Amino acid sequence: MKRCATDVSPRNDDRQALGLGVIVVLLWSTVATAFKLGLAVATPLQLVAGASLVSCLVFSLQHRLPGTAQAASRRDLSVSNRPRTWFLGAGLGLINPLLYYPILLAGYDRLPAQVAQPLNYTWALWMALLSIPLLGQRLKPDLLLGTGLALLGVVLLSRGDTRTEPIDPMGVALILASALLWAGYWLLLTRLTPKAGAGAPAETGSILAVGFYWGTPLLVLWTLWQDGLPAFDLRVLGAMVWIGCIEMGVTFLLWQRALRLAREPARIGQLIFISPLLALAPIHFLLDEPIRPAAVAALVLILTGTALAQRLPGSDGGRT
């Protein structure tokens, strides 16, 4: 009986991890649409500041979760009280959320969602390339092939339809810069917190939360100085709540738990690349964007290339 119980438990954990991973991927597939809907009624800074406030609320409530998650939340709380965690979180908060999200949303503001989202998924490619000087990784054939495929996809997306829908080059540059920032953020986290990318331990989640606690007040001050308060609108509020919960808060906590439960976290990590394909449905039906065949081809090239590049320690820092 003991042996049976031991055999069943890991399988149940793997099933639970897979279920959570699928839920997160489905939720992430809505984020690009939420960005564009929110940007129709607010500036990038206003949208990011409001969403970050919601995210801070989510992180502050995670320690009150009931049931089996409570033990993990208490562990996270004990880690988050360490001076090292607060120091690292404050420093990394200058990247995420303070710089990353305003640059990302500024790019989305200039591009169709079907172009912006695949470009943002080049974070895995940037991560693989940056890991060579930062983590001492070797240049491997898979990385060279993946880089070539992803770059081909970026070129295809950047061309757009020059007759009817020219693509804003500044928007492309902003999205690629945000992907570079995200990759740098997770590589720094990997280097500063051992095994940060493999299983997402408590310290990783706590540093992310502390980063939002420090970065959000600065974002709010920046927004008030630059753009002022947005006009009250239920669409603005809805977009802020959805982005704050789904992009910046709840999904990370669920993803963190899925990686903890999985015997092979890398397999769960590969689910990330389903999200942009699923995202094409809400982009088409809710944003009324005609999905161009060239955009689909570019998306497949970028996802294939980044999946090849994502065979590195710490590369499961999931992104939308």
Side-chain angles (χ1 to χ4, degrees):
M1 293 296 293
K2 286 184 178 180
R3 186 174 63 184
C4 292
T6 303
D7 290 341
V8 170
S9 180
R11 290 177 189 165
N12 288 338
D13 285 348
D14 276 343
R15 290 195 195 100
Q16 189 177 353
L18 180 60
L20 289 173
V22 170
I23 290 171
V24 171
V25 165
L26 290 173
L27 291 173
W28 270 335
S29 69
T30 68
V31 172
T33 299
F35 283 162
K36 295 297 288 186
L37 291 175
L39 288 169
V41 288
T43 69
L45 274 178
Q46 289 169 341
L47 194 58
V48 171
S52 295
L53 286 170
V54 174
S55 178
C56 287
L57 179 62
V58 170
F59 284 126
S60 67
L61 292 176
Q62 68 170 308
H63 306 300
R64 296 184 174 88
L65 293 174
T68 57
Q70 191 169 7
S73 297
R74 287 173 179 167
R75 182 171 64 253
D76 292 350
L77 182 60
S78 67
V79 172
S80 67
N81 288 330
R82 297 174 185 171
R84 164 188 163 84
T85 301
W86 280 90
F87 177 77
L88 293 178
L92 291 174
L94 298 176
I95 301 176
N96 176 40
L98 187 60
L99 290 179
Y100 170 70
Y101 280 108
I103 293 174
L104 176 66
L105 269 291
Y108 263 91
D109 202 29
R110 292 170 173 263
L111 297 172
Q114 64 186 288
V115 173
Q117 190 191 43
L119 290 174
N120 184 235
Y121 266 75
T122 58
W123 61 263
L125 175 63
W126 287 117
M127 185 176 288
L129 294 172
L130 289 174
S131 68
I132 296 172
L134 294 181
L135 299 181
Q137 297 290 325
R138 289 186 294 178
L139 187 61
K140 297 180 179 179
D142 283 352
L143 177 53
L144 289 174
L145 177 60
T147 300
L149 290 174
L151 288 178
L152 183 59
V154 169
V155 171
L156 189 58
L157 273 179
S158 301
R159 289 181 60 193
D161 187 337
T162 54
R163 294 169 299 175
T164 61
E165 188 187 18
I167 298 299
D168 186 338
M170 179 56 71
V172 173
L174 287 168
I175 295 292
L176 292 176
S178 72
L180 177 60
L181 275 174
W182 186 257
Y185 174 82
W186 279 96
L187 281 175
L188 284 172
L189 201 55
T190 299
R191 189 162 187 172
L192 295 171
T193 57
K195 299 182 182 179
E203 188 173 16
T204 306
S206 296
I207 288 174
L208 180 75
V210 170
F212 271 85
Y213 296 153
W214 282 96
T216 299
L218 297 175
L219 264 175
V220 170
L221 291 175
W222 184 8
T223 302
L224 292 175
W225 174 68
Q226 185 75 27
D227 296 336
L229 291 172
F232 180 77
D233 189 311
L234 288 179
R235 291 175 298 171
V236 176
L237 183 61
M240 288 177 176
V241 171
W242 189 260
I243 294 168
C245 288
I246 304 306
E247 162 65 11
M248 302 177 177
V250 171
T251 48
F252 179 83
L253 299 177
L254 294 176
W255 189 253
Q256 183 183 45
R257 179 153 180 79
L259 292 175
R260 282 176 177 164
L261 288 171
R263 284 181 292 179
E264 297 183 47
R267 289 189 176 182
I268 299 297
Q270 293 300 315
L271 291 173
I272 291 171
F273 296 104
I274 302 174
S275 178
L277 293 169
L278 297 176
L280 293 176
I283 286 172
H284 176 65
F285 291 108
L286 297 180
L287 298 180
D288 292 325
E289 284 190 19
I291 303 300
R292 297 184 294 110
V296 177
L299 174 58
V300 171
L301 286 170
I302 289 174
L303 293 182
T304 303
T306 52
L308 285 171
Q310 207 212 17
R311 300 179 181 183
L312 294 164
S315 59
D316 54 1
R319 266 303 312 120
T320 53

